[in-house]
Amino acid sequence: MINRVKIHFDQERDYVPLEAVRTLPEFFKQMMGGNGLFLKGYDTPIRVKFKGERPDGAHIWELETIPELIETIFTVQATPSFHVEVDYELINQKDNLLLGKIIDRRQTYTTRQDPRNEKVRGNVVASNFLVAKTNIDFSKLTGVSSQVILSDIQRTVLRDFPQSKVVFLSVSIHSDEIDLMKEHKKPIFILDTETFVSFPSEDVFDPKKTFEDEFLLDDKIQEYKKKKIGSFIYYPLFIQMKDMHFFAYLSLETERTGIPEVVLDLFKEVERTFQERIMDSNTHILEIRQNVLNVSRGGVALEVNDMEIIKALKVKPTFTLDINFKLQAPIRMAVELRHLEEVNDYFRLGGRITGVSGDKKAKEIYHSLIEFFG
């Protein structure tokens, strides 16, 4: 039985519109003679053939195999060197023939630089997964260790802005601004408290309208005037685990207006660095072996049947592992999760290799092994 896969994680690709509708039939015919065209989203590759275009622009497709269920929207995909997807609205189905109307078409910006080696399956396994702990006690996570890490980051990253502070929610006074940061998960950056003009960015929440709607704006302007604050930025710090935990915020308040934009960039760097350090300090190694489906110079795909790995990736989507080629020393590498699919009784994991442990020679050995096992 052919079933649809369940997507658990999918890092968004950068697409551009595929505008050349009139050349699609020609492209489809080229793909049928090359890498092939496939129906997207099933646990078994379903090869499709382009059978023609009707006068009204609808396309006719023939399926090599028939899944149990074809949804009202289906997608045909191809990956020559870049990736192409064409979405269709299903108009009619008769046996293994589909009639569909195009509703969207797109292709990736980037092209695949290196081919995938599918022949490693059975000859290569992954082991010793360094992943996030899934039983982290949040109260301990945000205790003394997090305060030490943040203080160290503040001294290094924010050394040019000594007035900046880290405020922990456990000791802070309740405020409307804190509630808004928690609700919208964005910083508040006011350039001028007399007019309550916010820094113009989609990454920043503008509270002015909210305060106006709640008849609080005049009170807020007076509050900051009394405190002699002409400009301020509050940047929330969340710990991304199974849920987003808001536990502290970065603060900079000045008497003058117009805090420079660079402060926002520095606060983002603090957030990113803190997240990496706090999660790296809460990892452990799983001494298990999983099958490798394919490898390339830039990525790896695994067949995962251990639920502890799956749980850990939902907490932190980066990990390290050993790649074991037969009769060769293990190669340690860092991997960033790109997609995670549930396929019947196992998970299919695709990751981008972000680093290979050791000197330059280790990476060269890995590349040569890929070619050798091809």
Side-chain angles (χ1 to χ4, degrees):
M1 181 185 297
I2 300 174
N3 300 307
R4 287 193 65 84
V5 298
K6 184 178 180 181
I7 306 297
H8 287 266
F9 183 91
D10 195 15
Q11 191 173 77
E12 289 188 7
R13 285 173 160 151
D14 292 323
Y15 285 101
V16 292
L18 186 63
E19 299 292 353
V21 183
R22 294 179 182 176
T23 64
L24 276 181
E26 181 181 341
F27 171 76
F28 291 151
K29 291 172 184 176
Q30 290 175 350
M31 288 300 96
M32 286 190 292
N35 293 359
L37 294 158
F38 297 89
L39 202 61
K40 180 182 179 181
Y42 292 89
D43 58 5
T44 300
I46 301 176
R47 190 177 287 269
V48 297
K49 294 181 180 179
F50 178 70
K51 302 299 289 185
E53 182 176 19
R54 295 200 324 185
D56 62 0
H59 288 173
I60 303 168
W61 292 97
E62 180 183 39
L63 307 186
E64 189 177 72
T65 51
I66 306 174
E68 187 172 340
L69 176 66
I70 297 289
E71 297 185 352
T72 55
I73 303 297
F74 67 93
T75 300
V76 173
Q77 64 181 10
T79 309
S81 58
F82 52 95
H83 184 76
V84 171
E85 293 185 357
V86 183
D87 296 334
Y88 288 89
E89 178 184 355
L90 180 63
I91 299 174
N92 193 19
Q93 178 182 0
K94 185 176 181 181
D95 297 326
N96 66 333
L97 293 177
L98 302 181
L99 179 65
K101 176 184 177 183
I102 294 178
I103 55 177
D104 191 27
R105 52 201 180 274
R106 54 197 173 272
Q107 72 176 66
T108 54
Y109 279 107
T110 56
T111 60
R112 185 179 300 284
Q113 299 297 322
D114 304 297
R116 292 172 175 169
N117 183 340
E118 308 276 353
K119 298 179 182 178
V120 296
R121 189 168 186 174
N123 293 310
V124 182
V125 295
S127 64
N128 293 328
F129 290 77
L130 180 65
V131 296
K133 293 179 181 177
T134 56
N135 58 346
I136 299 173
D137 185 336
F138 180 71
S139 62
K140 293 180 180 178
L141 192 64
T142 57
V144 175
S145 62
S146 65
Q147 296 183 35
V148 171
I149 291 172
L150 275 174
S151 297
D152 176 62
I153 295 172
Q154 187 181 21
R155 281 195 300 270
T156 55
V157 179
L158 300 173
R159 58 183 176 273
D160 294 332
F161 296 92
Q163 290 176 297
S164 61
K165 297 182 293 185
V166 179
V167 183
F168 290 88
L169 296 189
S170 58
V171 297
S172 68
I173 299 173
H174 176 80
S175 72
D176 299 308
E177 287 81 357
I178 288 176
D179 289 342
L180 290 172
M181 286 192 290
K182 183 176 182 180
E183 178 183 353
H184 297 280
K185 296 179 174 58
K186 290 183 177 182
I188 294 175
F189 188 177
I190 301 300
L191 297 172
D192 186 347
T193 57
E194 286 192 7
T195 57
F196 240 75
V197 173
S198 178
F199 180 79
S201 171
E202 292 183 356
D203 296 330
V204 171
F205 177 70
D206 184 352
K208 187 173 183 177
K209 187 176 186 307
T210 300
F211 290 152
E212 285 176 335
D213 292 344
E214 296 177 359
F215 303 101
L216 291 174
L217 183 59
D218 289 340
D219 292 339
K220 287 294 178 182
I221 291 173
Q222 290 303 315
E223 176 187 335
Y224 286 105
K225 185 176 182 180
K226 186 177 180 180
K227 292 179 180 178
K228 296 183 179 179
I229 298 174
S231 180
F232 69 89
I233 177 172
Y234 301 147
Y235 194 103
L237 292 176
F238 291 87
I239 291 182
Q240 174 68 64
M241 298 197 300
K242 292 180 181 178
D243 301 303
M244 295 281 280
H245 294 272
F246 182 26
F247 74 101
Y249 64 93
L250 302 169
S251 166
L252 180 61
E253 302 167 340
T254 66
E255 289 189 27
R256 294 176 296 179
T257 59
I259 290 176
E261 181 181 352
V262 66
V263 175
L264 180 62
D265 296 331
L266 290 173
F267 280 4
K268 287 179 182 177
E269 185 179 344
V270 170
E271 177 190 36
R272 183 173 58 254
T273 305
F274 172 74
Q275 180 75 30
E276 290 174 356
R277 289 196 194 177
I278 199 70
M279 295 311 297
D280 285 347
S281 65
N282 288 275
T283 56
H284 64 155
I285 288 183
L286 300 177
E287 296 180 352
I288 54 179
R289 299 167 76 86
Q290 303 287 278
N291 291 327
V292 175
L293 297 176
N294 63 64
V295 290
S296 68
R297 286 175 173 245
V300 60
L302 308 177
E303 176 185 306
V304 178
N305 52 40
D306 185 273
M307 285 307 299
E308 188 61 28
I309 294 177
I310 303 304
K311 292 176 184 176
L313 291 176
K314 291 181 179 180
V315 173
K316 181 189 177 196
T318 57
F319 57 101
T320 59
L321 76 166
D322 286 339
I323 294 292
N324 303 271
F325 291 84
K326 280 188 176 181
L327 305 178
Q328 301 293 324
I331 296 175
R332 191 79 181 159
M333 59 178 58
V335 178
E336 175 189 29
L337 183 66
R338 298 300 298 268
H339 66 262
L340 183 65
E341 304 169 341
E342 187 174 351
V343 184
N344 298 327
D345 58 348
Y346 71 94
F347 290 81
R348 188 163 53 208
L349 178 160
R352 182 175 69 89
I353 299 170
T354 57
V356 177
S357 181
D359 54 19
K360 184 180 178 181
K361 191 175 181 181
K363 187 178 287 187
E364 292 174 353
I365 291 173
Y366 171 65
H367 293 167
S368 65
L369 288 172
I370 293 175
E371 296 174 2
F372 176 78
F373 279 86

